[in-house]
Amino acid sequence: MPYFPEDFIFGVATASYQIEGAWNEDGKGESIWDRFAHTPGNIQDGTTGDVACDHYHRFEEDVALLKELGVDAYRFSISWPRIFPEGRGRVNEKGLDFYRSLIGKLQEAGIKPVVTLYHWDLPQKLQDKGGWENQETVEAFAEYARFLFQSFAKEVFLWITHNEPWVVSFVGHYEGRHAPGKRDFKSALQVSRNLLLSHGLAVQAFREEKTLGSIGITLNLTPVHPFSDSEEDILAAKRCDGYFNRWFLDPLFKGEFPEDMLLWYEKKGFALPQLSEEEKSLIAQPIDFLGINYYFRRVVGKGEGAIFEVEFFNPPQSEYTDMGWEIYPEGLYEIVKRVSEEYQPEDIYITENGIALPDQPDSKGRINDQRRIDYLRSHLLALHRAVDEGCPVSGYFVWSLMDNFEWGFGLSKRFGLVYVDYTTLQRIKKASFYWYQKVVKSKRVD
Ligand SMILES: N#[N+]C[C@@H]1[C@@H](O)[C@H](O)[C@@H](O)[C@@H]2O[C@H]12
């Protein structure tokens, strides 16, 4: 029976826009996700995060759920426009008070706070001036980060500068499925550069402020497998690995964008993001941990397509989630091993892993999400194998504590260990809640 180390951290994760609601309450400024979700046609089920799980008003009930779950840590994000409604300058004290109360309740419950500084809800006022394409946003983020390090200098266990900068850059600025909804690859490249710079400035501020705790960044990483052993498919897989994984891993840990991707983008006629030697050093300064969000792998082969010339495949023999993602637990082992060996991070936390299922209460009001238990078990066993082989993994966070607003899918995708009835906002613990409660308590996966 695989046991995790006694000091291994088990937690759950959420994000501000996805659970808080109170989108325009107590002085909070508009975010790009408020604007994006309020724009007809952007959200598949037509819902918004205006209310979501109403966590802003129910956070004490939710901390009680965390305490019952018994987690060692709770990962949440701070809404930048709830702190700085215009992005910088005037502080919204009521917004700061909310997070002071939340962190205080977590401390009372003996739960370590893990804070994500940026989980996609940029103040709209900054977007109006170009958003992440604009150097001003980089500076404003550094100010925002420093302010939070000063405000919570001793209370936070882990600080995560950015959540999934790849999604912010390419889903938000190239694919257009996320806020701000741009479809411009050159913009996406510039945004990825500026996100990395803002990360570097935040780490620098963290060190200067002598803030307690640890600081890192969270990347969504996926193993990329060639559809066949043909040279073309192998090269297509390498290109995708560069696009999805190495584009951020290399600057953060090797101080350079991956050369093969720069050459590829140049060949495709894109202006390349420029970094001075000083900026490269700023981005690649040591961090205390790497956060990895893992959900699935990618299987690719040579294909058409204006930029990457790849085709994605869904292996017919695999099972898929409600998001259409392949269930591939070995991928978690593969990515942790690869990152550990190739990039040697100081420490690793799996900051998200979970599955969307069409959960619904039965006639007795219970939710038997056995598939989620199976998913979490198989991924924890894969992770345990990597830990057993010496990979520096110190924790694992389930996505998510509760069902929440799933970005472009709205409220239609359920990832939670806790079901949320969006009509009554009642929370209902699923079978997976009780299963994970046992894992957390015993540090054992059975
Ligand atoms: N989609 N999906 C689920 C989950 C999303 O809800 C999180 O906000 C992201 O950090 C990451 O994409 C993963």
Side-chain angles (χ1 to χ4, degrees):
M1 204 66 74
Y3 279 89
F4 280 86
E6 196 43 47
D7 60 354
F8 190 85
I9 299 289
F10 282 103
V12 289
T14 64
S16 46
Y17 185 77
Q18 295 181 270
I19 66 167
E20 288 180 1
W23 76 279
N24 60 352
E25 205 166 310
D26 285 347
K28 173 181 168 292
E30 184 185 15
S31 78
I32 60 173
W33 267 95
D34 294 317
R35 180 70 61 89
F36 191 77
H38 290 156
T39 306
N42 281 341
I43 308 301
Q44 194 180 72
D45 65 358
T47 60
T48 72
D50 288 3
V51 176
C53 307
D54 195 36
H55 175 71
Y56 186 78
H57 299 111
R58 299 165 190 260
F59 72 94
E60 290 166 300
E61 176 187 352
D62 293 334
V63 171
L65 278 171
L66 290 164
K67 186 171 182 181
E68 184 183 351
L69 187 55
V71 289
D72 305 303
Y74 169 53
R75 178 186 174 220
F76 61 98
S77 74
I78 290 181
S79 169
W80 185 349
R82 216 181 273 288
I83 305 295
F84 290 106
E86 290 80 39
R88 60 194 324 186
R90 178 176 65 86
V91 173
N92 173 36
E93 286 299 333
K94 283 189 175 178
L96 190 59
D97 286 346
F98 168 69
Y99 294 108
R100 281 199 186 104
S101 303
L102 173 59
I103 288 172
K105 287 294 176 191
L106 290 171
Q107 288 180 312
E108 282 173 26
I111 298 169
K112 299 175 193 296
V114 172
V115 173
T116 305
L117 290 171
Y118 188 70
H119 203 126
W120 308 354
D121 41 2
L122 183 74
Q124 182 62 44
K125 292 285 188 201
L126 292 173
Q127 186 62 43
D128 294 343
K129 294 183 274 183
W132 283 110
E133 295 178 69
N134 182 358
Q135 179 63 22
E136 181 185 346
T137 301
V138 174
E139 292 154 10
F141 179 78
E143 291 166 12
Y144 160 66
R146 187 183 294 273
F147 176 79
L148 289 178
F149 298 147
Q150 293 166 347
S151 304
F152 302 112
K154 298 183 171 59
E155 296 88 342
V156 174
F157 176 59
L158 303 177
W159 291 91
I160 297 166
T161 55
H162 282 287
N163 178 75
E164 301 192 350
W166 183 89
V167 171
V168 177
S169 306
F170 296 100
V171 181
H173 294 82
Y174 169 52
E175 296 182 11
R177 292 185 292 115
H178 281 191
K182 283 198 77 168
R183 287 177 169 76
D184 180 329
F185 196 77
K186 178 173 174 293
S187 297
L189 292 176
Q190 182 64 4
V191 164
S192 59
R193 169 193 180 273
N194 287 348
L195 289 169
L196 285 164
L197 285 176
S198 74
H199 159 79
L201 290 173
V203 174
Q204 201 171 59
F206 179 85
R207 305 292 185 215
E208 288 166 1
E209 295 295 331
K210 296 186 173 33
T211 314
L212 295 189
S214 302
I215 192 162
I217 187 171
T218 278
L219 304 180
N220 53 305
L221 300 176
T222 59
V224 184
H225 295 163
F227 180 70
S228 77
D229 58 6
S230 73
E231 185 62 19
E232 279 194 331
D233 286 355
I234 291 170
L235 284 174
K238 185 170 184 283
R239 266 198 309 280
C240 279
D241 179 56
Y243 175 45
F244 291 113
N245 299 320
R246 291 183 285 114
W247 186 249
F248 285 97
L249 281 168
D250 283 23
L252 287 165
F253 292 95
K254 298 180 179 176
E256 297 278 1
F257 281 118
E259 183 67 21
D260 61 327
M261 298 315 295
L262 291 172
L263 291 173
W264 181 267
Y265 294 147
E266 196 168 35
K267 189 178 89 172
K268 290 291 180 179
F270 292 105
L272 299 178
Q274 299 303 310
L275 289 173
S276 68
E277 288 313 306
E278 189 187 356
E279 287 169 334
K280 289 176 185 176
S281 303
L282 176 72
I283 291 168
Q285 71 189 279
I287 50 179
D288 305 313
F289 66 91
L290 173 67
I292 296 176
N293 288 355
Y294 175 76
Y295 289 92
F296 53 86
R297 67 159 172 180
R298 289 183 168 97
V299 179
V300 303
K302 175 77 172 72
E304 302 308 316
I307 299 178
F308 292 98
E309 300 174 19
V310 295
E311 184 179 352
F312 294 93
F313 295 88
N314 286 331
Q317 70 279 15
S318 294
E319 250 197 280
Y320 292 83
T321 74
D322 209 31
M323 296 288 284
W325 295 347
E326 182 189 11
I327 297 176
Y328 188 76
E330 311 82 274
L332 180 51
Y333 168 79
E334 283 178 38
I335 207 72
V336 168
K337 284 288 280 187
R338 183 256 179 109
V339 166
S340 300
E341 289 162 5
E342 190 175 337
Y343 295 93
Q344 297 98 36
E346 191 67 30
D347 203 351
I348 294 173
Y349 286 87
I350 305 306
T351 38
E352 287 181 30
N353 178 240
I355 180 173
L357 293 171
D359 302 320
Q360 283 303 322
D362 64 16
S363 57
K364 295 192 172 66
R366 294 168 309 191
I367 296 144
N368 180 16
D369 57 337
Q370 185 58 44
R371 284 187 68 205
R372 180 168 289 106
I373 294 170
D374 297 342
Y375 178 97
L376 296 177
R377 175 189 291 114
S378 59
H379 285 77
L380 278 169
L381 290 174
L383 180 63
H384 185 271
R385 192 174 144 215
V387 172
D388 224 18
E389 291 178 12
C391 294
V393 183
S394 294
Y396 171 92
F397 293 77
V398 172
W399 184 269
S400 177
L401 165 65
M402 63 181 120
D403 299 336
N404 57 59
F405 183 84
E406 187 43 59
W407 309 114
F409 293 94
L411 298 173
S412 63
K413 303 298 180 189
R414 295 181 178 274
F415 277 89
L417 298 177
V418 176
Y419 179 90
V420 176
D421 178 325
Y422 292 111
T423 310
T424 64
L425 293 166
Q426 182 192 6
R427 277 80 163 131
I428 305 172
K429 288 163 275 191
K430 304 176 188 176
S432 58
F433 178 98
Y434 298 104
W435 177 83
Y436 192 58
Q437 187 181 51
K438 291 195 187 83
V439 170
V440 171
K441 186 174 170 60
S442 65
K443 306 285 184 191
R444 188 186 69 199
V445 183
D446 56 21

